[in-house]
Structure formats: structure tokens, C-alpha cells
Amino acid sequence: MYQINLEELVIDSKRLSNEYVKVSLNEKKPVVLNTLEEVRATLVNADTSHKLTTGVLKSLESKTFTLRLWMDYDTPATNDVMNASMESKVTIEAIQKEGLPEVDIAMNDNLNEIIVEIDTIENPKNEELIYFYQLNEEEEIESSEKTYTFTGLSDGKYVARGRAETLDGVILREKEMDVTIAYETVYVSSSGSDESGNGSIESPYATLQPAYNKVKSGGSILLLSDITATSTTTMDIENKEVTLRSDGEEIYSIFRGNDLTTQLLNVLNSNTVTTTNITFDGNEVISVAALIESYDSTLNLNEGTTIQNGINKNTSASSSGGGVSVVRSVLNITGASIKNNKANSATKESRGGGVAGTESTLNFYSGYIENNSTESNSSDGYGGGIYLGDSNMTMFDGAINNNTANEGAGMFFTGTQSIQFNMIGGTITNNTAAKKAGGLFVRRLTTSSNPSIAYLKGGSILNNVAPVGANTYTQHGAQIIVQR
């Protein structure tokens, strides 16, 4: 156990009164020296000693302290102060003490609260302790409770402190931590600023990335205007859930900037992103990515969402997804419109002009996938509307219409796994394939012993066009089973 003191030395010259001296230890709130507790002086040439702090130092442990002393700004220019000085020394008293309690301190935020928890790990003598809590430079709170919650906080950054002491004033543990209270709702506007904005409606951000970083899991990012994206927004904070929508009744758009050749949104790391009343517009800018891509996450495209005018054109590799591409993800479409998107490749396969999925699950509840296309100079353009590889899909309702591709213009379903397409309702109509399957193409890869099966339980596949298999087509032992 140690105690750090500041001892005032006796000097021959005029001595500055300690009521005019400010002191701060480890950048804590400054206090006037004469307000500190006076203790026994240990130096023979000192007549006053002030306790700065106490604490416990374990075996092989070290601690660093920063001490600042200065004359108070409000010191009067009087005779007793002019040409006065003060000399002092820091002393440390230490004694070995067995059986002191050990504690740990944790801090976290929860909605508009900061919770400080002080946990007694070991207290062999069942010693009574006292706890202190402080937020920023507010008055310190003394308590006998191990947990204290600072409530009703507005969004922003805070400094939270916790301290545990014995009844005789020995500091067992103290901790200071910067804690950010995130927003339930974060705003973005073309008139905002990522540098000076804070995400509030009065001071919005200009782009989605700081808004995503700021918003709480379960919160919403709201557009106040159309914006043009010049970089990809990466949503990768583990297990974070975010809703992205327009503010008010008007539907705003996020446009792909002329120099942006990557995604508008890149969703990763078990995120859940829900969109509603918002448009993602590729602006017909040629890129090498879908407008929205999701990996190991969940993407909910809800009512009022439009994904349009995306061009994924790769000159040296396959192009997968003009509008949406999902890998090992869940895609739920409920009322969204995915239209006028293209997946093109000069030398490789093109897959999924509207939607491309790999090792994923797609639930199509309602909405439209229309006027999308895949093209390839090698004639391998699959799934103008939807391409699914090693994925499962259930179509409850909605429309897959007026899409084009070399094969499987409406939908191309393939894989090496035991995969299923269940059509319970909806329509696959007026799609046009240059080679095979204007409507639905179901394929099992030749290397697979597992079936690819489509169960047609409801809905309709009508008026599609192709030289071979106008409405439906199977290959390599795949099956289409009608169960109406």
C-alpha cells in the first residue's frame, strides 16, 4: 500500500500561500492545494504535507503519475503574493499490507446511459468498501453501491470514472474511460459535414460511413436529402443491426458517384441491415461490384426500397450481381423493387443481373425484380433476374418480369448441394433468354450427386421466351416438381 504526498518546504524568502496554488494529478480536475487533506510531514525541512492519493501496488506492478502545479489564474496582485515562491517535494510512503480486497471496474453504455460496475473479486477479510463515481468534471458521487448508472444522457463523448476505497481512504482501484453515447437516430444530408457534423438533425453527416459508425445497434440512419456516394460504406461492426431509410414521406436516393467503381454498401460480419423508403441508384456508372453486397449477414429490403441502374462490368473476371450480391447471407425481399441492373463480363460468366446469391437463403415475400440483364461475350450470362448458386429460395409472392439473359432469364438455380426452390406464389413472366429457359432454369452440376429441385406449389410461370424451354428447363438430372 502506498501514499503519495506533496510536502511544502520551509524557505528563507517570501512564501506563496497554498491557497493560490492549483494542483492536478494524472490530468484530473484541478483543485486548490489547501483543500487537500493535510497529513504528517516526513521531511525535516517541510512543515506542511498534503495527501495527493493512495493506492495498492501488487508484486511486479508499476504505476505512473503525472503531477502539475501552477499559480491560480485568479491570484490577486497583492503584496503577499508579489515576488513570492513555493518549494515542494513529492514523497511516497509505503507499507506492506496483507489481505486487501481486490476489485475490478467495468464501464459500458446502454441507450442513453453509462453504467459503471465495481466488482469485488476477492475480499478475504470482508472489509467494508466505499465507491466513488464521476462523469466528466461533474461533482463526484460517493456511494455504498457497487453499480452506478448515469442516466438521461444526450449523445456524445463522456469521460466516466470509478473508484473503490477502504474506509480509511486507501484507493484499491480507480479507472477512467472514454465512453461514447451513440445515437438512436443518425441523420445524413448533402448539406451536412463529416468533419463538423455530429449526426443530429441540426448537424447531420454528409456520408453514410460516420453515420453507421455512430448509430446504435437497433437504431436508424435517416436521409434528409439525396446524396452522392464517392466511397463504399462498409458495415462491419459485429452483430450490429441498422435500419436505413428516408426521413419523412419523400423517398431520397443514394447515387453512385462517377468515380466509384465499388459497392454503395458492403455489409459484413453478421450485420443486419434493413432498408425502407430509399433508393440505391447506380447512376449507370460502370463498376466491378453490385450496388449492395452482403457477406455472412442479413439484408432486409423492405417496402419503398428501390435498387436500380447498377452496372457490374468486369473485363477480366466473372460479374456477379448488378443490383444485389449476397454470399453466405439471408436476403429478405418485402416490397422492394430491383430493376434496370446489369451484370456483364467480357471473358467470364455473368450471373444475376438483379440478384446474385451464393450459399445463401432468399425469401421473396413481395416486390418486383424486373428489366435486369446479364450479358457475356462468352455467352455465359445466367439469371437475368436472379441467379442462385448452392442457395435455397422460397417465393411467396412478387414478380420476376421482363428480364433478359443467355440462360435462365427470369431465374437461374444451380448448385452442388441439396438445394430447393419453393414457389408458393407470385409470377415469373415475360422474361427472354437468348438460348435456354426464358422463365426458370434448374441445373444440377455434373460433379454433384445431390439434387437441385424446384417445387411449384403456387404462382405462375407464363409468357416467357427462349429457343429452348420457354418457361422452364432442367439440366443434368435436376427436377421441377409441380405440387399444385
Side-chain angles (χ1 to χ4, degrees), residues 263 265-271 289-290 292-299 312 318-321 323-332 351 355-362 387-392:
Q263 312 95 325
L265 296 184
N266 194 21
V267 184
L268 310 167
N269 207 12
S270 300
N271 269 229
I292 301 177
E293 297 193 359
S294 173
Y295 299 86
D296 304 295
S297 296
T298 298
L299 186 61
N312 182 351
S318 299
S319 296
S320 188
V324 180
S325 176
V326 293
V327 179
R328 298 181 303 275
S329 295
V330 176
L331 173 61
N332 298 310
R351 301 183 290 258
V355 175
T358 302
E359 297 179 28
S360 296
T361 297
L362 195 163
Y387 172 93
L388 292 178
D390 287 332
S391 301
N392 293 297

Coordinates of all heavy atoms in Angstrom, one line a residue, residues 263 265-271 289-290 292-299 312 318-321 323-332 351 355-362 387-392:
Q263 N -18.9 -1.1 -54.3 CA -20.3 -1.1 -53.8 C -20.7 0.2 -53.2 O -19.9 1.0 -52.8 CB -20.4 -2.2 -52.8 CG -19.8 -3.5 -53.1 CD -18.4 -3.7 -52.6 OE1 -17.6 -2.8 -52.5 NE2 -18.1 -4.9 -52.2
L265 N -23.0 -0.2 -50.6 CA -23.0 -0.8 -49.3 C -22.2 -2.1 -49.3 O -22.5 -2.9 -50.2 CB -24.4 -1.0 -48.8 CG -25.3 0.2 -48.5 CD1 -26.6 -0.3 -47.9 CD2 -24.7 1.2 -47.6
N266 N -21.4 -2.3 -48.4 CA -20.7 -3.6 -48.2 C -21.0 -4.1 -46.8 O -20.5 -3.5 -45.8 CB -19.2 -3.5 -48.4 CG -18.5 -4.8 -48.6 OD1 -19.1 -5.8 -48.9 ND2 -17.2 -4.8 -48.3
V267 N -21.9 -5.1 -46.6 CA -22.4 -5.5 -45.3 C -21.7 -6.8 -44.9 O -21.7 -7.8 -45.7 CB -23.9 -5.7 -45.4 CG1 -24.4 -6.1 -44.0 CG2 -24.6 -4.5 -45.9
L268 N -21.0 -6.8 -43.8 CA -20.2 -7.9 -43.3 C -20.4 -8.2 -41.9 O -21.1 -7.5 -41.1 CB -18.7 -7.5 -43.5 CG -18.2 -6.9 -44.8 CD1 -16.8 -6.3 -44.7 CD2 -18.2 -7.9 -45.9
N269 N -19.8 -9.4 -41.5 CA -19.6 -9.7 -40.1 C -20.9 -9.8 -39.3 O -21.0 -9.2 -38.2 CB -18.7 -8.6 -39.5 CG -17.9 -9.1 -38.3 OD1 -17.9 -10.3 -38.0 ND2 -17.3 -8.2 -37.5
S270 N -21.8 -10.5 -39.8 CA -23.1 -10.8 -39.1 C -23.9 -9.6 -38.8 O -24.6 -9.5 -37.8 CB -22.8 -11.6 -37.8 OG -22.2 -12.8 -38.0
N271 N -23.8 -8.6 -39.7 CA -24.7 -7.4 -39.5 C -26.1 -7.7 -40.0 O -26.3 -8.7 -40.8 CB -24.1 -6.3 -40.4 CG -23.2 -5.3 -39.6 OD1 -23.3 -4.1 -39.6 ND2 -22.2 -5.9 -38.9
A289 N -18.7 -4.2 -59.2 CA -19.4 -4.7 -58.0 C -20.9 -4.4 -58.1 O -21.3 -3.5 -58.8 CB -18.8 -4.0 -56.7
A290 N -21.7 -5.1 -57.3 CA -23.1 -4.9 -57.2 C -23.3 -3.6 -56.4 O -22.4 -3.1 -55.7 CB -23.8 -6.0 -56.5
I292 N -25.3 -3.3 -53.8 CA -25.2 -3.7 -52.4 C -24.7 -5.1 -52.3 O -25.2 -6.0 -53.1 CB -26.6 -3.7 -51.7 CG1 -27.2 -2.3 -51.8 CG2 -26.5 -4.2 -50.3 CD1 -28.6 -2.2 -51.2
E293 N -23.7 -5.4 -51.5 CA -23.1 -6.7 -51.3 C -23.2 -7.1 -49.8 O -22.9 -6.3 -49.0 CB -21.7 -6.8 -51.9 CG -21.7 -6.5 -53.4 CD -20.3 -6.9 -54.0 OE1 -19.4 -7.4 -53.3 OE2 -20.2 -6.8 -55.2
S294 N -23.5 -8.3 -49.6 CA -23.6 -8.8 -48.2 C -22.9 -10.1 -48.0 O -23.0 -11.0 -48.9 CB -25.1 -9.0 -47.8 OG -25.2 -9.6 -46.6
Y295 N -22.1 -10.2 -47.0 CA -21.3 -11.4 -46.7 C -21.6 -11.8 -45.2 O -21.4 -11.0 -44.3 CB -19.8 -11.2 -46.9 CG -19.4 -10.8 -48.3 CD1 -19.5 -9.5 -48.7 CD2 -19.1 -11.8 -49.2 CE1 -19.2 -9.1 -50.0 CE2 -18.7 -11.4 -50.5 CZ -18.8 -10.1 -50.9 OH -18.5 -9.7 -52.2
D296 N -22.1 -13.1 -45.0 CA -22.3 -13.6 -43.7 C -23.2 -12.7 -42.8 O -23.0 -12.5 -41.6 CB -21.0 -13.8 -42.9 CG -20.0 -14.7 -43.7 OD1 -20.3 -15.9 -43.9 OD2 -19.0 -14.2 -44.2
S297 N -24.2 -12.1 -43.5 CA -25.1 -11.1 -42.8 C -26.5 -11.3 -43.3 O -26.8 -12.3 -44.0 CB -24.6 -9.7 -43.1 OG -23.3 -9.5 -42.6
T298 N -27.4 -10.4 -42.8 CA -28.8 -10.5 -43.2 C -29.2 -9.1 -43.8 O -28.9 -8.1 -43.2 CB -29.7 -10.7 -42.0 OG1 -29.4 -12.0 -41.4 CG2 -31.2 -10.7 -42.3
L299 N -29.8 -9.2 -44.9 CA -30.2 -8.0 -45.7 C -31.7 -8.0 -45.9 O -32.2 -9.0 -46.5 CB -29.5 -7.9 -47.0 CG -29.6 -6.7 -47.9 CD1 -29.1 -5.4 -47.1 CD2 -28.9 -6.9 -49.2
N312 N -22.5 -3.9 -63.2 CA -21.3 -4.6 -62.8 C -20.7 -5.2 -64.0 O -21.1 -6.2 -64.5 CB -21.7 -5.7 -61.8 CG -20.6 -6.5 -61.2 OD1 -19.4 -6.4 -61.7 ND2 -20.9 -7.3 -60.2
S318 N -15.4 -12.9 -63.5 CA -16.9 -13.0 -63.6 C -17.5 -11.8 -62.9 O -16.9 -11.1 -62.0 CB -17.3 -14.3 -62.8 OG -16.7 -15.4 -63.4
S319 N -18.7 -11.5 -63.4 CA -19.5 -10.4 -62.8 C -20.7 -11.1 -62.1 O -21.5 -11.8 -62.7 CB -20.0 -9.4 -63.8 OG -18.9 -8.8 -64.4
S320 N -20.9 -10.8 -60.8 CA -21.9 -11.4 -60.0 C -22.8 -10.3 -59.3 O -22.3 -9.7 -58.4 CB -21.3 -12.4 -59.0 OG -22.3 -13.1 -58.4
G321 N -24.0 -10.1 -59.8 CA -24.9 -9.2 -59.2 C -24.8 -7.8 -59.7 O -23.8 -7.1 -59.4
G323 N -27.5 -5.6 -59.2 CA -28.1 -4.8 -58.1 C -27.7 -5.3 -56.7 O -27.2 -4.5 -55.9
V324 N -27.8 -6.6 -56.4 CA -27.5 -7.1 -55.1 C -26.7 -8.4 -55.3 O -27.0 -9.2 -56.1 CB -28.8 -7.4 -54.3 CG1 -28.5 -8.0 -53.0 CG2 -29.7 -6.2 -54.2
S325 N -25.7 -8.6 -54.4 CA -25.0 -9.8 -54.4 C -24.8 -10.2 -52.9 O -24.4 -9.4 -52.1 CB -23.6 -9.6 -55.0 OG -22.8 -10.8 -54.8
V326 N -25.2 -11.5 -52.6 CA -25.2 -12.0 -51.2 C -24.4 -13.3 -51.2 O -24.6 -14.1 -52.1 CB -26.6 -12.2 -50.6 CG1 -27.3 -10.8 -50.4 CG2 -27.4 -13.1 -51.5
V327 N -23.5 -13.4 -50.2 CA -22.7 -14.7 -50.0 C -22.9 -15.1 -48.6 O -22.7 -14.3 -47.6 CB -21.2 -14.4 -50.4 CG1 -20.4 -15.7 -50.1 CG2 -21.1 -13.9 -51.8
R328 N -23.3 -16.4 -48.4 CA -23.5 -16.9 -47.0 C -24.4 -16.0 -46.2 O -24.1 -15.7 -45.0 CB -22.2 -17.2 -46.3 CG -21.3 -18.2 -47.0 CD -20.0 -18.4 -46.3 NE -19.3 -17.2 -46.1 CZ -18.4 -16.6 -47.0 NH1 -18.2 -17.2 -48.2 NH2 -17.8 -15.5 -46.8
S329 N -25.4 -15.5 -46.8 CA -26.3 -14.5 -46.2 C -27.7 -14.9 -46.3 O -28.1 -15.8 -47.0 CB -26.0 -13.1 -46.8 OG -24.7 -12.6 -46.5
V330 N -28.6 -14.1 -45.6 CA -30.0 -14.2 -45.8 C -30.5 -12.9 -46.4 O -30.2 -11.8 -45.9 CB -30.7 -14.4 -44.4 CG1 -32.2 -14.4 -44.6 CG2 -30.2 -15.7 -43.7
L331 N -31.3 -13.1 -47.5 CA -31.8 -11.9 -48.2 C -33.3 -12.0 -48.1 O -33.9 -13.0 -48.6 CB -31.3 -11.9 -49.6 CG -32.0 -10.8 -50.5 CD1 -31.7 -9.4 -50.0 CD2 -31.5 -11.0 -52.0
N332 N -34.0 -11.0 -47.5 CA -35.5 -11.0 -47.4 C -35.9 -9.8 -48.2 O -35.6 -8.7 -48.0 CB -35.9 -10.9 -46.0 CG -35.5 -12.0 -45.1 OD1 -35.7 -13.2 -45.5 ND2 -34.9 -11.8 -44.0
R351 N -23.5 -13.3 -63.8 CA -24.5 -14.0 -63.0 C -25.4 -13.0 -62.3 O -24.9 -12.1 -61.6 CB -23.9 -14.9 -62.0 CG -23.0 -16.0 -62.6 CD -22.5 -16.9 -61.6 NE -21.5 -16.3 -60.7 CZ -20.2 -16.4 -60.8 NH1 -19.7 -17.2 -61.8 NH2 -19.4 -15.8 -60.0
V355 N -30.2 -10.0 -58.9 CA -29.7 -10.5 -57.6 C -28.9 -11.7 -57.9 O -29.2 -12.6 -58.8 CB -30.9 -10.9 -56.7 CG1 -30.4 -11.6 -55.5 CG2 -31.8 -9.8 -56.4
A356 N -27.7 -11.8 -57.2 CA -26.9 -13.0 -57.3 C -26.7 -13.5 -55.9 O -26.4 -12.7 -55.0 CB -25.5 -12.7 -57.9
G357 N -26.9 -14.8 -55.7 CA -26.7 -15.4 -54.3 C -25.8 -16.6 -54.4 O -26.0 -17.5 -55.3
T358 N -24.9 -16.7 -53.4 CA -24.1 -17.9 -53.3 C -24.1 -18.4 -51.8 O -23.9 -17.6 -50.9 CB -22.6 -17.6 -53.6 OG1 -22.6 -17.1 -55.0 CG2 -21.7 -18.8 -53.5
E359 N -24.5 -19.7 -51.6 CA -24.6 -20.3 -50.3 C -25.4 -19.4 -49.4 O -25.1 -19.2 -48.2 CB -23.2 -20.5 -49.7 CG -22.3 -21.4 -50.5 CD -20.9 -21.6 -49.9 OE1 -20.8 -21.4 -48.7 OE2 -20.0 -21.9 -50.7
S360 N -26.6 -19.0 -49.9 CA -27.4 -18.1 -49.1 C -28.9 -18.6 -49.1 O -29.2 -19.6 -49.7 CB -27.3 -16.7 -49.8 OG -26.0 -16.1 -49.7
T361 N -29.7 -17.8 -48.4 CA -31.1 -18.1 -48.4 C -31.9 -16.8 -48.8 O -31.6 -15.7 -48.3 CB -31.6 -18.5 -47.0 OG1 -30.9 -19.7 -46.6 CG2 -33.1 -18.7 -46.9
L362 N -32.8 -17.0 -49.8 CA -33.5 -15.9 -50.3 C -35.0 -16.1 -50.0 O -35.6 -17.1 -50.4 CB -33.3 -15.6 -51.8 CG -33.7 -14.3 -52.4 CD1 -33.0 -14.1 -53.7 CD2 -35.2 -14.2 -52.6
Y387 N -29.9 -15.1 -59.9 CA -29.0 -16.2 -60.0 C -28.7 -16.7 -58.6 O -28.3 -16.0 -57.8 CB -27.7 -15.9 -60.7 CG -26.6 -17.0 -60.7 CD1 -26.5 -17.9 -61.7 CD2 -25.8 -17.1 -59.6 CE1 -25.6 -18.9 -61.7 CE2 -24.9 -18.1 -59.5 CZ -24.8 -19.0 -60.6 OH -23.8 -20.0 -60.5
L388 N -28.9 -18.0 -58.4 CA -28.7 -18.6 -57.1 C -27.8 -19.8 -57.3 O -28.1 -20.8 -58.0 CB -29.9 -19.0 -56.4 CG -30.9 -17.9 -55.9 CD1 -32.1 -18.4 -55.3 CD2 -30.1 -17.0 -55.0
G389 N -26.6 -19.9 -56.6 CA -25.7 -21.0 -56.6 C -25.6 -21.6 -55.2 O -25.3 -20.8 -54.3
D390 N -25.9 -22.9 -55.0 CA -25.8 -23.5 -53.7 C -26.6 -22.8 -52.7 O -26.2 -22.6 -51.6 CB -24.4 -23.7 -53.3 CG -23.6 -24.7 -54.1 OD1 -24.3 -25.7 -54.5 OD2 -22.4 -24.6 -54.2
S391 N -27.8 -22.3 -53.1 CA -28.7 -21.5 -52.2 C -30.1 -22.0 -52.3 O -30.5 -22.7 -53.2 CB -28.7 -20.0 -52.7 OG -27.4 -19.5 -52.7
N392 N -30.9 -21.7 -51.2 CA -32.3 -22.0 -51.2 C -33.1 -20.8 -51.3 O -32.7 -19.7 -50.8 CB -32.6 -22.7 -49.9 CG -31.9 -24.1 -49.8 OD1 -32.2 -25.0 -50.6 ND2 -31.0 -24.2 -48.8

